[in-house]
Amino acid sequence: RDRDVTGVQTCALPISIQSLSADGWTALHLAAFLGSDAAVQLLLASGADPLQWARSMDPNLAIHAAAAGRRIGARAYAGLIAATGDADVPQKGGYTALMIAAGNGFTVGVDALLSAGADKSRKLADGRDAAHFARERGHVDLANRLT
């Protein structure tokens, strides 16, 4: 252990832009989920890896976290999708960011994902697709757009 300039005992752990928080998230995941557009853009520009999987309850990428958080802006989300390189990359269970965004009524995210080439006809093994998740959660207009 070391002491900082105030005399407080610290632990010298190697920390990088890819470090995971105690609950398994990278800074990019957290910025994407919480909707900090400037932080997402800065992290990507600084070399944050959009392909690093979180080690939380459900392993996912930052594009999935952003779809779940539904707070990120269109430009930042489009940049995150582009950096990821695959708008259809599935997380655990086969859920895509489009399925997550549709289920959460995250229209900005759905639009960004579709513009990036996300496949709205992609289905889980049980036959559910993005339109199903939107309809199931009461986002009827969004579900109609996805059918």
Side-chain angles (χ1 to χ4, degrees):
R1 292 202 178 256
D2 297 320
R3 294 196 181 271
D4 70 11
V5 293
T6 64
V8 173
Q9 197 172 41
T10 62
C11 184
L13 295 175
I15 295 177
S16 78
I17 199 166
Q18 295 310 121
S19 293
L20 298 172
S21 64
D23 54 356
W25 302 97
T26 67
L28 185 58
H29 281 87
L30 293 169
F33 179 79
L34 297 172
S36 179
D37 292 21
V40 166
Q41 292 167 333
L42 178 63
L43 287 162
L44 288 172
S46 299
D49 183 0
L51 298 177
Q52 181 169 350
W53 291 89
R55 294 194 186 112
S56 60
M57 306 172 284
D58 293 321
N60 64 16
L61 297 176
I63 65 167
H64 304 117
R70 66 189 182 276
R71 296 178 190 97
I72 194 169
R75 183 175 175 190
Y77 197 37
L80 181 58
I81 296 164
T84 302
D86 180 0
D88 286 322
V89 63
Q91 70 171 37
K92 180 181 174 184
Y95 295 90
T96 64
L98 183 62
M99 293 172 186
I100 299 164
N104 286 313
F106 181 38
T107 305
V108 167
V110 168
D111 291 343
L113 288 158
L114 291 174
S115 291
D119 181 2
K120 65 182 180 179
S121 67
R122 189 169 180 148
K123 297 179 185 317
L124 296 178
D126 63 9
R128 294 180 293 165
D129 61 9
H132 170 91
F133 290 109
R135 191 170 293 105
E136 177 181 72
R137 294 201 180 154
H139 309 295
V140 178
D141 290 341
L142 191 53
N144 291 338
R145 287 183 45 212
L146 291 165
T147 53

